[in-house]
Amino acid sequence: MRSISPAGGAVLGLTLALPLALTACGGDGGTGGGKGAALDGRGPITFVTGKDRSGYLQEQVDGWNSGHPDEKVRIIELPDEPNDQRQQMIQNATTKSDAYAVLNLDVVWTAEFAANRWLAPLPKDRVDLAEMLPATIATGQYRGRLYAVPSTSDAGILYYRKDLLDGAGVSAPPKTWAEMWAACDKVKKTPAGKGVDCYFTEVNKTESITISAVEAIASSGGSVLGPDGRPSLTTPQAAKGLEFLVNARKDGRMPKAAVTLDTEGGRRYFQSGKLLFQRQWPYQYAMADQKDGSSKVAGRFAVAPLPGPDGPGVANLGGHNLAISQFAANKASSLDFIRYLTGEPSQRANLLATSQAPTLAALYDDPAMVAKFPYLPVLKTAIAGAKPRPVVVRYGDVTAAIQGSVYDAVTGRTPIDQALSGLQGKLGPLTAP
């Protein structure tokens, strides 16, 4: 399911032409600080990524392959769940296998993979970062060296049923949690609002609940880790954030199925017309606006910044970075392929086809792009103020601890204060220098 405007054909043409311009990029590479160790070797490579929900990735790879018959890229598609993707990439790295070349990493994995020397340092003088959003550039660095190039960005935004709000006399999307609950109550009193659930954010026991917790706590003025990198969860702000998630489910504001729905499950739930408000990623926009009958809310929704307790909330900084496995055989080809995918023609074409957030700042201000994707100004603001998940070397252990504690609180197994104090204790040893 993908949406390509008539303009997409022209953009795709530029994308197909780009590989020819990149063939002049030599095989020399460098360390994260500039020139240095070689990134050499040319030939076929693999591109290892999570499940492509858009169906468009193969077209971009085909564009590269048509111009590089001796350096063809083969996609290796991993499971949809980020935890499973990360685990398979780690398994490949620990065996020092050359089966994986270019890795499509969640932005929070960079520190872990770089610290374990699973990634090849990249030359800053060979990658064009100048036009990218500053928040995205930081996600590809570890200890001052560049290990990954931002490919797509992401931040949570609030999808809402504009038709239902209009029908209930609500003139603007909510800026606070209280305003959101009040709008829900008004909509439920209308005939069109019968059977529509109020709100959904992911609280299933996966990476998604870590994201929901980080956003709720940050929106309340708290943080999972303090400025010193140590856990900071035994605070009124952290309690207020977790309380929002706990009470939303307890009070029936969220559907009963919330603890079992993943990102795609949430998308389908919203597209079925069963939700009024949803915290979701930008990729959903194009799918939810399909006019082919697959979405019951096409043309009936809009987006806004996430609400918080006292005003606009804080989104989680998501997205993906492209890195080269330290054990890849053809690193020169890998670097050129990364430059191809992160270049302006490819990012523009990808935005048109998938509505995924680009990393190039200019695309957010392009009148043609804003006309097609009205959420871009909202998203740019969200990314600028977004907070990342904990940036730690032992990220896998940290997120597993967060998932367990927050899930137990949301499902009522553990009181909020006990869940936070327990999580504080678990994260202490995992974040120690």
Side-chain angles (χ1 to χ4, degrees):
M1 229 180 341
R2 55 189 176 87
S3 174
I4 303 180
S5 72
V11 174
L12 185 57
L14 290 173
T15 305
L16 295 175
L18 185 61
L20 300 177
L22 290 178
T23 55
C25 299
D28 292 338
T31 64
K35 298 178 181 178
L39 290 177
D40 51 18
R42 291 197 173 278
I45 59 175
T46 57
F47 180 39
V48 185
T49 182
K51 184 175 178 60
D52 175 31
R53 301 179 182 126
S54 71
Y56 178 66
L57 178 60
Q58 187 62 57
E59 290 192 30
Q60 288 201 309
V61 170
D62 289 344
W64 166 271
N65 288 344
S66 68
H68 297 77
D70 297 326
E71 301 173 89
K72 287 190 174 181
V73 174
R74 177 173 62 88
I75 298 173
I76 297 180
E77 198 170 62
L78 301 181
D80 193 52
E81 170 53 45
N83 290 341
D84 296 334
Q85 297 170 26
R86 173 182 162 276
Q87 191 58 44
Q88 289 195 27
M89 290 183 186
I90 289 176
Q91 289 174 354
N92 181 81
T94 54
T95 62
K96 299 184 178 181
S97 169
D98 64 357
Y100 291 179
V102 176
L103 306 176
N104 193 8
L105 301 176
D106 187 304
V107 291
V108 295
W109 299 344
T110 303
E112 178 183 20
F113 279 61
N116 282 285
R117 300 183 180 180
W118 296 332
L119 304 180
L122 302 180
K124 288 183 179 178
D125 60 347
R126 294 281 306 286
V127 181
D128 188 6
L129 301 175
E131 303 303 320
M132 294 189 178
L133 295 169
T136 68
I137 298 172
T139 66
Q141 300 186 26
Y142 176 68
R143 292 188 174 180
R145 304 178 77 184
L146 184 69
Y147 286 90
V149 182
S151 173
T152 61
S153 190
D154 239 345
I157 52 180
L158 185 72
Y159 287 74
Y160 65 94
R161 289 283 301 279
K162 188 177 185 303
D163 60 328
L164 295 180
L165 291 190
D166 289 345
V170 180
S171 60
K175 294 181 180 179
T176 68
W177 293 336
E179 289 178 4
M180 185 164 64
W181 300 153
C184 285
D185 292 341
K186 289 182 179 180
V187 167
K188 282 188 171 293
K189 292 178 181 178
T190 67
K194 300 295 183 183
V196 176
D197 286 307
C198 177
Y199 174 73
F200 174 78
T201 187
E202 290 180 65
V203 288
N204 58 326
K205 197 175 181 180
T206 64
E207 184 67 15
S208 298
I209 200 170
T210 296
I211 293 168
S212 294
V214 167
E215 287 182 338
I217 292 171
S219 295
S220 301
S223 61
V224 176
L225 302 181
D228 60 356
R230 305 292 287 155
S232 179
L233 290 161
T234 53
T235 66
Q237 294 85 357
K240 189 173 187 177
L242 184 53
E243 184 180 41
F244 166 72
L245 297 177
V246 170
N247 287 346
R249 182 174 185 272
K250 181 180 177 182
D251 297 343
R253 301 287 190 180
M254 284 202 283
K256 293 181 179 179
V259 294
T260 63
L261 292 174
D262 60 8
T263 306
E264 278 292 89
R267 176 185 67 79
R268 289 189 290 268
Y269 207 85
F270 182 76
Q271 289 182 203
S272 71
K274 297 177 182 178
L275 274 176
L276 178 57
F277 296 109
Q278 180 196 23
R279 181 266 177 228
Q280 180 60 292
W281 303 108
Y283 90 94
Q284 175 175 280
Y285 196 98
M287 294 182 176
D289 208 34
Q290 287 281 0
K291 306 300 194 296
D292 59 2
S294 60
S295 174
K296 294 183 179 180
V297 300
R300 299 161 65 187
F301 70 91
V303 298
L306 295 177
D310 304 308
V314 176
N316 172 251
L317 180 63
H320 285 81
N321 298 333
L322 303 185
I324 300 175
S325 168
Q326 184 69 268
F327 315 106
N330 296 316
K331 292 185 177 67
S333 295
S334 296
L335 179 60
D336 282 359
F337 178 65
I338 288 175
R339 286 163 52 90
Y340 162 74
L341 277 188
T342 57
E344 196 274 350
S346 290
Q347 288 211 34
R348 180 181 291 270
N350 190 57
L351 172 59
L352 285 168
T354 72
S355 79
Q356 286 183 313
T359 61
L360 295 174
L363 292 177
Y364 289 85
D365 303 319
D366 186 310
M369 296 295 99
V370 175
K372 182 172 178 59
F373 303 109
Y375 66 83
L376 285 175
V378 172
L379 179 58
K380 185 179 181 182
T381 300
I383 291 173
K387 301 294 184 184
R389 282 158 282 167
V391 180
V392 291
V393 172
R394 299 182 64 181
Y395 183 77
D397 295 328
V398 167
T399 189
I402 295 172
Q403 291 169 30
S405 295
V406 175
Y407 183 83
D408 286 347
V410 169
T411 55
R413 297 178 183 178
T414 307
I416 293 172
D417 288 347
Q418 184 179 328
L420 290 173
S421 61
L423 182 56
Q424 177 90 3
K426 293 175 184 175
L427 294 186
L430 298 176
T431 57

